[in-house]
Amino acid sequence: MSTRAQLLLSALMLIAFQQHLASAQQAAPIPMCGGDPFDPLTMMCCAQEPVPIELPMSAKPFMQCCGEVIIDNRTEACCAMETPFFKKDGVCCGGTLHQVDPLSFACCGGTLYERAPQLNCCANSDIYDVVEEICCAGQLQGYPALTHSCCGSTALPYSGSRRCCGPQTPYDTHSEVCCQDTVIQAMECPTASATTGTGQVDLVLGTTQPNQPGNALPTEHPVPVHASPLADVGNGNVPAGAAAAVAAPSLPLALDLPRPGQPARPPRPPGKRPATRVAGFF
């Protein structure tokens, strides 16, 4: 083959290779980072720069960029999106890395403070003393947490007639009732559950359920629901185990019941029990 033919063949092969490469790029685009191609299996694109992965591949699900550094977020953190540090060695607060013990110091709203049993952070913005205030729904209330609890954004005292209906609705137990997490006027709760001091009383079946904390209606006596427990037994509203316990003390003895077609027996004298015949001895 002449030299001219070899050059022509090489040119044709180069053109074919370029066409194949172009079609391959269209089918599977090469990942780019800041205008440069990179391999996502061995590199990460951090701050528009391809950064080689030097951590073990087992940590790949926990890798993230911190500036132009790859960190393992299980043990490391990033301060101000550019300064990596180990979580056990410092606290990032207000965009500044503080080399302090995170078990002794904390950050609240950009302010570093020393931890104490009575100090807390409200909505990551205000440091407060729980002896003097309480944080309800991200708002500080001027009442101590030792005597008040939160009902939504309202602080309610533990004593008194005000309680919480559901997660965030205060109500007065003197004039209102919490019925299925809805506050209504007292005695207007239909065939649902009304909250009383004895628990959740079902006005239909008369069953009691544990009361929700903070929703108790102060009362010293249970609410009478059924006048006769035997009516529930007859209607099948009492479980079988409970029916026997309820009905047994009130039912007459089987020996005192007349048989069909026989006249009723006279009442037996008090203090005497009828003789019981045992098969084989009489």
Side-chain angles (χ1 to χ4, degrees):
M1 180 180 297
S2 63
T3 304
R4 184 175 180 180
Q6 290 180 350
L7 292 176
L8 181 59
L9 179 61
S10 299
L12 292 175
M13 292 178 61
L14 179 61
I15 294 174
F17 175 75
Q18 290 177 345
Q19 291 178 348
H20 174 74
L21 182 62
S23 60
Q25 289 178 347
Q26 292 178 357
I30 297 177
M32 305 294 289
C33 178
D36 298 322
F38 79 106
D39 183 4
L41 297 178
T42 59
M43 309 177 77
M44 289 184 64
C45 184
C46 297
Q48 298 299 311
E49 291 291 336
V51 180
I53 297 176
E54 299 178 355
L55 295 173
M57 294 307 296
S58 59
K60 191 169 184 178
F62 311 99
M63 295 180 189
Q64 70 178 58
C65 293
C66 181
E68 297 182 3
V69 178
I70 300 174
I71 64 173
D72 183 344
N73 59 24
R74 293 175 297 181
T75 57
E76 298 173 280
C78 187
C79 186
M81 302 179 65
E82 62 179 7
T83 307
F85 68 99
F86 285 97
K87 296 178 180 179
K88 63 181 181 64
D89 295 336
V91 174
C92 180
C93 191
T96 302
L97 178 61
H98 301 269
Q99 300 293 337
V100 295
D101 184 0
L103 298 179
S104 301
F105 290 84
C107 183
C108 182
T111 302
L112 185 72
Y113 70 98
E114 189 171 4
R115 296 180 185 270
Q118 77 277 11
L119 295 182
N120 209 338
C121 182
C122 182
N124 195 29
S125 61
D126 298 305
I127 304 170
Y128 69 100
D129 190 332
V130 298
V131 178
E132 300 176 355
E133 295 178 291
I134 188 172
C135 178
C136 295
Q139 301 177 13
L140 285 178
Q141 308 290 331
Y143 304 98
L146 299 178
T147 59
H148 288 68
S149 62
C150 290
C151 180
S153 59
T154 304
L156 298 180
Y158 289 120
S159 60
S161 61
R162 300 193 71 193
R163 294 293 183 266
C164 193
C165 180
Q168 59 182 8
T169 307
Y171 73 104
D172 192 331
T173 58
H174 286 165
S175 58
E176 298 171 311
V177 172
C178 178
C179 185
Q180 295 181 326
D181 290 347
T182 301
V183 177
I184 63 174
Q185 295 300 311
M187 306 309 293
E188 293 182 2
C189 185
T191 66
S193 295
T195 305
T196 68
T198 58
Q200 295 288 346
V201 179
D202 192 315
L203 301 182
V204 177
L205 301 182
T207 57
T208 59
Q209 304 170 0
N211 198 10
Q212 298 296 327
N215 287 352
L217 175 63
T219 180
E220 298 180 357
H221 304 286
V223 177
V225 178
H226 295 294
S228 172
L230 295 183
D232 283 335
V233 177
N235 294 332
N237 289 338
V238 177
V246 173
S250 303
L251 292 176
L253 296 175
L255 295 175
D256 293 338
L257 296 176
R259 296 181 179 180
Q262 292 184 354
R265 296 182 182 182
R268 65 184 155 81
K272 291 186 178 182
R273 297 179 60 85
T276 305
R277 178 173 296 180
V278 182
F281 291 91
F282 297 95

